[in-house]
Amino acid sequence: MTIALISYAHVSKRFGEAASAVTAVNDVSLDVAAGEFLAIVGGSGSGKSTLLRLANRLIDADDGTVMVEGADIRAVDPVTLRRRTGYVFQSGALFPHMSVGDNIGITPKLLGTPAREIAARVDELLALVRLDGGAYRDRLPHELSGGQRQRVGVARALAAKPRIVLMDEPFGALDPLTRDALGEDYRALHSKLALTTVMITHDMTEALLLADRIAVMHAGKMLALGTPVELSASREPYVMELLRTPRRQAERLNALLPGAGPS
Ligand SMILES: Nc1ncnc2c1ncn2[C@@H]1O[C@H](COP(=O)(O)OP(=O)(O)OP(=O)(O)O)[C@@H](O)[C@H]1O
Ligand SMILES: [Mg+2]
């Protein structure tokens, strides 16, 4: 039996007062297995970020239960939970007045790790995300490219050696090549460090290429959950629509680039 590292059972979250309330997450049940790479896909406002934030208590559920590493998270101190769970924000969200090294070392510092250990950890993490420590450690975030900032964001999320990494559209604002390279690099890190990853993306192609399973959100509901092959068999109209673009792109590329597809 596989162990669920994150488990949502009938979880709902509403925002606002009764009459105008929005049900951002509506009765979602989902188990994320240890070592799994799960992508959450869906349109803007479908509840993806809310679902992710429910896992580290940036938001608390109205109904249902969220378990992380076997414990009901209502019984876990939110700060402890967040330090144990890496979180990569949309567009990096680094502290602008802190150097790259200080950004990466912030959680170990808060945990009381000695400075020498932090320095060593920062260098190790910079190497892990393929940034040269000597060149980047002392730079400020605005002195980096978007892709480099995202790499620092990943390094910071990994600083306290979490087992779980939550990523909210981590590679959204990047050009396709950088995005592809970062996605592949992250997928390799996920395997090497035996992480459990939940990544939000609005790009179905990215989800298909990176994730073990994909959860499709629509208007607060989880419409589908499965491997790429399982999703491709879905008769759910919205899921079929989401898969149409990557399918069409693959067909057109196969036609345009001789030798690109299966011959
Ligand atoms: N703090 C909040 N207060 C009030 N409403 C909120 C809050 N956070 C989210 N919502 C609402 O809940 C719904 C789901 O929002 P959520 O941020 O989870 O969507 P999303 O799928 O992440 O969208 P996007 O792709 O645009 O980031 C939206 O209607 C949003 O307006
Ligand atoms: Mg969002």
Side-chain angles (χ1 to χ4, degrees), residues 37 122 193 206:
F37 194 131
V122 165
L193 304 177
E206 183 173 66

Side-chain angles (χ1 to χ4, degrees), residues 183-195:
E184 296 261 313
D185 277 1
Y186 180 77
R187 173 77 223 199
L189 277 182
H190 163 93
S191 304
K192 181 175 165 187
L193 304 177
L195 300 170

